[in-house]
Amino acid sequence: MIHPRLSVRVRRAALVCLSGGLLLVGASSTPVAADTQPSIRVDNDTLTVDTSLGRPASGGTREISVSVDGAEKTRGELTVTFDASGLKDFFPASTSLVPCDPDGDLIGECDHPHQRLVLVPAKATAAGRSGRIRITAKVDGKVQDTAEVTVRVTDPGPVFDRAPTGFTDVEPGSRLDLPGGFSNYSRYHGYRSVVVGVYFPDGLSPVEEFGNCAYKEDRADPSPTNTGVVTMSCKLTGPFPPGGSYDLDLGPVEVGHQAVSRSIHYSARPERADGEGPERLQGRPGRGRPLTFTERGDDATHVRIGSLPATTTVRTTNQADFSVNRVTLKGKVGDVVDADFFFVNNGPGSVGAVFDSESDNETAQVIELAMPQGITVVKTPEGCRKVPAPRVDKKAKARKKANGPLYRCWQRRMDKSALMPPGHFEHFSFSVRLDKPGRSDDNTADRGYVLIKTELTVDEFDGDKDNNRSTISLDVKGAPGASATSAEQHTASRRAAIDGAASGVVLACAAHLPWRRRGIRPSAIGTGDTSGTSEDAAVSEGTEPTR
């Protein structure tokens, strides 16, 4: 069937209707801008904070981020209010508990949608309590959303809070009385038994043992001069109700003859039951009367509420003295000689063998060596490295005479909890070839130096700083200016060339060997292998360390 052809007017009308319908459809799918109601978002609705008693919270969070979603699409003035007035008794008066709080009334109003809450440790009186911080978002003064953050203060339980702050100018070999005590800072929990711990560092030791205590001794340094670290753990049977305070008589502590400055540490905790009943203390059982406690009276001294955890510092009249040895490199031109550099503690005090700020770093720099000119280092000890020479400006008219090679040596001590008692030292054995030594302006043989150089200062315990630096000098036969014949010098030059080639092979092989670290060892000075070298050797001057 043939359809009649539509007229032009009919077709134009259909196109107009179709276009209008498409415009209406497009208009209905376009969103219309409207006000967005802001909402408060916190990344955690609970803050767990410690008290000022020094015991950390278990997995608690002290910091929370607060944001207002949709703030950028809000029409009007947005403010975020923090109200922590209910926590006024929880924290010290000077604490900035909430942001935007210039008058310190614990109510702050911020005009920025992103804020952060960070809480400091609470007061001891707030132990075990909880409260809330209320957050309100407003636009032009009208409330849009609210939220709450719960603040919980940990319940520390027993805390060791009575001990002397410290003793000064103590004579080595004397004894000090050691009063102590603890309190149950829990508001709700009582305890049947409490374990008290006392940590005595090396140089300080308890005079009396108690039958209800266990003792562990740690001799990380097996030398006879090390008395060892002693940890005492004592079980006290209560009951200990909430809020109770108790005093202890820990007896005297003896100050060792090599002690310089040491600190005693204390602890208190509830007894932990194990699968077989009461907790078993670790260590050797003590011999003697049991350690007892008495209720604390109003006249008790050395109570440490404001400075916990409690420690007692003992500073003696002792000092230590570090020194380095003087070395003379002696021989003929071309000889390879051994040079042993060491620094030693001359005593009388023992010092901690940590010479950098990182306790787990076993490569603390302790020695700097500037070798004299005219020598070639053919063997470098483990733990020492050559410092790259500074760049020299070739265009400069006046060039300074080049210095000898510079080396820095590291500690090589694995156990950094040990002390360095008198007589202990670390040594660094080099092998050098004696070339033609350089001459200074006054026509004397050039000298180097060995210097104690650590990241931490040793001034606080080193009684004599003049011996912290010493010289490295040369005594070379056949050097320029000496009575050596041309034939002798020619022979020495050939020998130096042969030794240099052999040394290059040794160094090339040594470059592929892995570095190893080793601890301090009181080995003898100058006992290295000197086979194949001259009868003359490096002379190490000065007092040899005690072995």
Side-chain angles (χ1 to χ4, degrees), residues 238-459:
F240 302 102
S245 296
Y246 309 91
D247 291 338
L248 305 168
D249 182 6
L250 299 173
V253 59
E254 186 170 8
V255 182
H257 289 278
Q258 297 168 355
V260 178
S261 177
R262 296 288 176 264
S263 293
I264 303 172
H265 298 261
Y266 311 90
S267 65
R269 60 174 176 81
E271 179 190 9
R272 293 189 289 263
D274 55 26
E276 300 179 359
E279 178 182 356
R280 295 182 179 180
L281 301 181
Q282 299 295 320
R284 171 182 57 82
R287 303 170 185 175
R289 65 178 180 89
L291 177 65
T292 58
F293 60 90
T294 58
E295 291 193 13
R296 183 175 300 170
D298 296 335
D299 57 346
T301 58
H302 306 299
V303 179
R304 306 277 297 278
I305 292 296
S307 56
L308 294 173
T311 60
T312 299
T313 302
V314 179
R315 297 184 182 275
T316 72
T317 56
N318 263 343
Q319 281 189 308
D321 176 29
F322 276 4
S323 67
V324 290
N325 62 324
R326 180 178 178 180
V327 174
T328 299
L329 303 175
K330 186 177 181 180
K332 298 188 295 292
V333 172
D335 284 351
V336 176
V337 299
D338 291 334
D340 192 13
F341 304 95
F342 65 83
F343 77 98
V344 61
N345 178 15
N346 299 313
S350 299
V351 293
V354 177
F355 301 104
D356 62 341
S357 58
E358 299 181 19
S359 60
D360 59 346
N361 182 7
E362 293 122 8
T363 55
Q365 177 181 325
V366 291
I367 288 290
E368 179 178 282
L369 299 106
M371 296 291 188
Q373 297 183 62
I375 63 124
T376 299
V377 176
V378 298
K379 180 181 178 182
T380 304
E382 181 183 13
C384 294
R385 293 181 183 176
K386 184 178 180 181
V387 178
R391 294 183 179 180
V392 179
D393 186 3
K394 297 181 180 179
K395 297 181 180 180
K397 294 182 179 180
R399 293 181 56 187
K400 295 182 179 180
K401 185 172 63 174
N403 297 321
L406 180 66
Y407 287 82
R408 291 197 175 101
C409 298
W410 282 264
Q411 191 171 359
R412 302 182 301 160
R413 176 182 285 269
M414 298 299 292
D415 183 3
K416 302 184 76 175
S417 63
L419 293 176
M420 202 169 186
H424 274 218
F425 64 92
E426 294 196 34
H427 68 99
F428 307 94
S429 298
F430 285 75
S431 293
V432 300
R433 186 180 68 241
L434 303 179
D435 301 329
K436 295 181 180 181
R439 313 294 291 183
S440 60
D441 294 337
D442 58 356
N443 201 33
T444 59
D446 182 58
R447 291 189 175 191
Y449 65 84
V450 53
L451 170 68
I452 294 178
K453 189 171 185 180
T454 69
E455 178 183 323
L456 302 182
T457 179
V458 297
D459 294 348

Side-chain angles (χ1 to χ4, degrees), residues 46 55 69 102 123 143 195 249 294 304 313 336 385 437 450 454 468-469 517 519:
T46 301
R55 175 167 296 180
D69 293 337
K123 295 189 295 185
V143 176
V195 176
D249 182 6
T294 58
R304 306 277 297 278
T313 302
V336 176
R385 293 181 183 176
V450 53
T454 69
N468 290 2
R469 180 183 179 119
R517 294 171 177 167

